[in-house]
Amino acid sequence: MGIRHFGSYIVSAQRLAAKAQPGSVVRWDRLEKAAFSDHPSVLAELEGVRRSPQSTKPRWQLVLAVPIVLAMGFSMLLPILGVSAIAVGRFQNYEAPPEEMIPLAGLFYLSTAIALLAWIVIWFMGDRRRSGVALTFSVMTVVLGALTGITMSERGTESSVASWESWIVPVVAAIGLAAVLAMLQLFARSKKSGASLDQSSGLPPNKLAELKARRDAVSDLAETDRLAIKRDLDAAVSDLEQRGLVTAADAERARGTELGGLALRMGSSSATSPSR
């Protein structure tokens, strides 16, 4: 979490700041790199080294990604298959037996509900970033699920299918879980959309592109890691301020800078005062 051990030596922003002396130069870039020393993906961005996604992921994750993507793609077909099963008689030249189609549609939506629950669990266990695919899946399920529920009710009542009320339960469950997933995605979007836009202003276009790359790398870290890195950097800045090595204005500016943007916002280095 921003701290790396080399025998008894610990690399962190706070430890590095403690070594600064009056009249020396505060290296903001080195402080920032020290804080991210345990996170190679971010460190590569800070050092200007672009790593391909494959190079930072274990092989087993790449192998596992293929069936996961296929499973997610298939899960998006389930609500389509469900509405097709119950509505097929409305759009074809024959009337499908409701006592057969209603349970089939219910099974498809039971599978949809299980898939949605898995998507929600994966979202909470992951980095909780916005996903356009997840939002599309959830909205599609709500719309198609509502159509399926209405059609199931109509056909079940018209044909006096005794069990249609039971089979509509998975449809309602899928709609509810889809609404939860959609709200999670919308919340993630609103949380990310306004993040640090003001802090990006004033930088030249090439620096903005670099800041975006760093921000994306930082956003991939776990929340606990980001908090630990922020505490490390804030402690380093406070130490420099208390010893008169940086001005109060610079310290406040550094503490208000988003993770990954310290050297870009502050410059790579600043001269310190010779004494307090």
Side-chain angles (χ1 to χ4, degrees):
M1 298 181 183
I3 299 176
R4 177 172 294 176
H5 296 261
F6 292 103
S8 61
Y9 181 69
I10 302 175
V11 176
S12 69
Q14 188 174 3
R15 179 70 177 260
L16 193 60
K19 298 171 71 69
Q21 299 298 321
S24 63
V25 173
V26 174
R27 292 294 302 267
W28 297 108
D29 55 343
R30 290 182 181 177
L31 284 177
E32 192 170 37
K33 290 173 185 177
F36 286 102
S37 60
D38 268 356
H39 303 282
S41 59
V42 181
L43 198 58
E45 292 294 343
L46 297 179
E47 294 175 345
V49 179
R50 299 295 181 263
R51 297 185 179 185
S52 63
Q54 287 87 353
S55 65
T56 60
K57 291 184 178 180
R59 187 181 298 249
W60 68 267
Q61 288 188 6
L62 298 176
V63 174
L64 190 61
V66 175
I68 289 177
V69 170
L70 292 176
M72 292 174 68
F74 177 74
S75 67
M76 296 187 69
L77 293 176
L78 292 173
I80 299 175
L81 294 173
V83 72
S84 299
I86 192 64
V88 65
R90 302 299 189 189
F91 304 107
Q92 302 294 333
N93 294 326
Y94 66 93
E95 183 70 18
E99 60 274 12
E100 296 178 9
M101 294 297 101
I102 288 178
L104 181 60
L107 288 174
F108 278 126
Y109 273 90
L110 177 60
S111 300
T112 301
I114 294 173
L116 284 164
L117 184 59
W119 280 56
I120 292 172
V121 171
I122 291 172
W123 187 84
F124 273 109
M125 293 179 62
D127 54 18
R128 304 185 185 185
R129 298 179 65 184
R130 182 185 69 242
S131 170
V133 176
L135 183 59
T136 299
F137 180 32
S138 57
V139 172
M140 179 178 68
T141 300
V142 170
V143 174
L144 296 182
L147 178 60
T148 301
I150 293 172
T151 306
M152 186 181 290
S153 175
E154 291 177 349
R155 299 196 68 188
T157 303
E158 291 173 359
S159 303
S160 299
V161 179
S163 60
W164 75 265
E165 295 95 339
S166 299
W167 287 112
I168 206 172
V169 173
V171 179
V172 175
I175 293 174
L177 289 170
V180 171
L181 181 59
M183 286 189 291
L184 291 175
Q185 297 306 310
L186 291 173
F187 172 76
R189 179 176 184 176
S190 63
K191 185 177 181 180
K192 294 284 185 179
S193 61
S196 304
L197 291 179
D198 292 338
Q199 293 181 4
S200 301
S201 61
L203 293 176
N206 62 320
K207 295 298 184 181
L208 284 175
E210 191 173 348
L211 179 59
K212 182 181 183 304
R214 295 181 178 190
R215 179 192 297 153
D216 291 342
V218 170
S219 67
D220 287 334
L221 302 180
E223 180 67 18
T224 53
D225 289 338
R226 292 197 294 268
L227 290 174
I229 292 166
K230 180 62 175 172
R231 285 195 297 267
D232 183 30
L233 282 170
D234 286 350
V237 172
S238 295
D239 177 58
L240 293 172
E241 181 186 12
Q242 289 168 8
R243 293 191 290 132
L245 303 182
V246 297
T247 64
D250 281 346
E252 185 66 24
R253 183 182 174 196
R255 281 190 289 263
T257 299
E258 65 181 299
L259 291 179
L262 185 62
L264 292 176
R265 298 288 295 177
M266 302 296 296
S268 61
S269 62
S270 300
T272 68
S273 302
S275 62
R276 192 164 180 80

